[in-house]
Amino acid sequence: MDTQQDMAEAGTIRSNSAELGQGAELGQGEGLALAEFHDACGRIRAAIETVIDGKSEAARLALTVLLAQGHLLLEDVPGVGKTMLAKTLAKTIDCSVHRIQFTPDLLPSDVTGVSIYNQDKHRFEFRPGPVFANIVIGDEINRASAKTQSALLECMEEHQVTVDGTSYSLDTPFMVIATQNPIEMEGTYPLPEAQRDRFMARISMGYPDLRAEMEMLETHQSVSPLVAVRPVVTVDEVRRMVATVRDVYVSPAVKEYTVNIGRATRDHPHLRLGASPRAMLQLLRAAKATAALNGRDFVLPDDVASVAEAVLAHRLILDRKAVTAGEDASSVVASVVAKVPVGGESRRVSP
């Protein structure tokens, strides 16, 4: 382990043998070289920014979640481009994409699929639902009932769907991009904690700035720029990009720093529910994707801190004292990251 750490500090690509084994099990093969990886990421981000004006950070976080094999929750008021971002990211990849419009009358079988009796063959046949795709866009997920929302739980965690006692595997890569309006708006059903915990990150789009909004009025009048978006990477390239992220090295000190952030949320006086162990795994994966996007084959504590709010805030439950004091989940995460020591390393010291 000491030798491995020294080599990482010299800037050499290394990864844990367990992670290499996990990548092989998923059939992702060899990763891309960092130069190829960076070029592919640049093409994806450039394609997204032709449609989404002034939201480069949101585009970067969406790409981070894709490369970290997570699921993305886009939450904000109507009309700020949540669905447009999801559709644009999906169109940049030459893969299968299905969209589900969640409504109060949507049934679980409308999501996962259903077994139908074939009279000619005298047997039941499974008809796959829209969840059988590389990228699944769930529009306004909190418009559906909790029963229908729960149809996504198994596929998001285990990459499989079980119908009538039979399990069906989903293809890789597999990503759910869900949009939702804030829960205080009429006609919505808040996502249960178990489902929020399955989303790697939550992004709030926010309103565009003046320049971006003026440019949108100029370019979006006659035809949507989404029409001109074409795939810039293949599914195989995405699998290799994911393998590249898996090969990013994480030192024991950075792992300890990540765990300490999670444990600090569980002991925080303003929280009734802190970060789960699953949240720690996803925080580290997002940090590895961030490091790769920054052109490094090793993770710094800064990579963990930079994605902590997006990965952790939507999983936390505030107590009454925090609400009374005007705190929210994002401010609590920021205070935790500011207080947790990095250990013997400086956050910004390069290897």
Side-chain angles (χ1 to χ4, degrees):
M1 177 63 74
D2 292 338
T3 303
Q4 207 174 30
Q5 207 171 343
D6 292 339
M7 294 178 74
E9 290 174 354
T12 306
I13 297 176
R14 283 293 179 267
S15 67
N16 298 327
S17 59
E19 291 177 336
L20 286 172
Q22 191 174 3
E25 287 175 10
L26 292 173
Q28 291 166 331
E30 266 188 55
L32 296 175
L34 280 179
E36 296 176 294
F37 176 89
H38 210 263
D39 178 65
C41 291
R43 295 199 305 271
I44 294 175
R45 292 184 64 184
I48 293 175
E49 289 173 6
T50 62
V51 179
I52 307 297
D53 298 316
K55 293 298 175 185
S56 58
E57 186 57 31
R60 179 184 173 88
L61 275 171
L63 179 57
T64 299
V65 174
L66 171 67
L67 298 176
Q69 288 194 300
H71 306 291
L72 181 64
L73 181 63
L74 300 170
E75 180 182 279
D76 216 318
V77 295
V80 293
K82 302 186 299 294
T83 306
M84 186 69 76
L85 174 59
K87 292 169 69 176
T88 305
L89 176 61
K91 286 196 71 172
T92 62
I93 305 169
D94 189 14
C95 66
S96 58
V97 180
H98 289 162
R99 177 180 173 180
I100 307 172
Q101 181 64 54
F102 283 82
T103 57
D105 60 347
L106 194 73
L107 299 176
S109 58
D110 296 329
V111 176
T112 60
V114 64
S115 295
I116 298 177
Y117 187 73
N118 188 323
Q119 293 187 349
D120 295 333
K121 298 181 179 179
H122 302 288
R123 66 183 183 191
F124 283 93
E125 293 181 345
F126 177 66
R127 301 290 176 87
V131 79
F132 285 84
N134 293 117
I135 295 182
V136 178
I137 301 173
D139 202 14
E140 294 189 293
I141 189 173
N142 60 337
R143 294 287 180 190
S145 65
K147 182 178 181 180
T148 302
Q149 291 174 11
S150 65
L152 289 172
L153 292 178
E154 181 185 14
C155 66
M156 291 174 69
E157 179 65 18
E158 302 172 40
H159 287 200
Q160 68 175 26
V161 171
T162 302
V163 177
D164 296 334
T166 303
S167 295
Y168 304 90
S169 297
L170 299 173
D171 198 6
T172 57
F174 174 72
M175 181 183 186
V176 174
I177 307 176
T179 71
Q180 71 168 1
N181 298 323
I183 60 174
E184 60 268 16
M185 302 190 76
E186 292 183 11
T188 59
Y189 302 82
L191 293 178
E193 290 81 1
Q195 186 149 346
R196 288 205 310 270
D197 197 47
R198 280 167 167 78
F199 285 99
M200 174 173 283
R202 179 188 63 182
I203 298 176
S204 293
M205 298 288 292
Y207 292 106
D209 57 27
L210 176 61
R211 183 202 60 79
E213 203 157 10
M214 289 292 293
E215 187 175 341
M216 180 191 70
L217 294 181
E218 289 289 334
T219 58
H220 293 211
Q221 283 284 347
S222 57
V223 63
S224 171
L226 187 64
V227 176
V229 175
R230 295 291 180 268
V232 294
V233 293
T234 65
V235 173
D236 184 61
E237 282 182 291
V238 172
R239 293 191 184 108
R240 296 184 65 192
M241 291 167 74
V242 169
T244 300
V245 170
R246 286 187 173 276
D247 289 347
V248 171
Y249 175 75
V250 185
S251 70
V254 172
K255 291 177 182 176
E256 183 179 359
Y257 174 65
T258 305
V259 170
N260 286 341
I261 289 177
R263 296 179 71 86
T265 64
R266 298 168 200 163
D267 299 330
H268 200 282
H270 284 167
L271 295 179
R272 289 193 292 116
L273 179 67
S276 66
R278 180 194 287 123
M280 295 300 94
L281 286 170
Q282 297 194 350
L283 177 58
L284 196 58
R285 289 173 186 163
K288 291 170 71 171
T290 301
L293 284 168
N294 289 332
R296 281 183 276 103
D297 53 20
F298 55 90
V299 178
L300 292 176
D302 262 352
D303 298 321
V304 179
S306 67
V307 293
E309 191 273 333
V311 174
L312 299 180
H314 64 287
R315 308 168 190 268
L316 309 180
I317 298 180
L318 301 173
D319 67 1
R320 293 179 180 177
K321 292 184 294 182
V323 176
T324 305
E327 295 275 4
D328 60 18
S330 296
S331 64
V332 170
V333 173
S335 67
V336 166
V337 171
K339 291 177 182 177
V340 172
V342 181
E345 303 179 12
S346 169
R347 268 200 205 170
R348 299 191 181 275
V349 171
S350 299

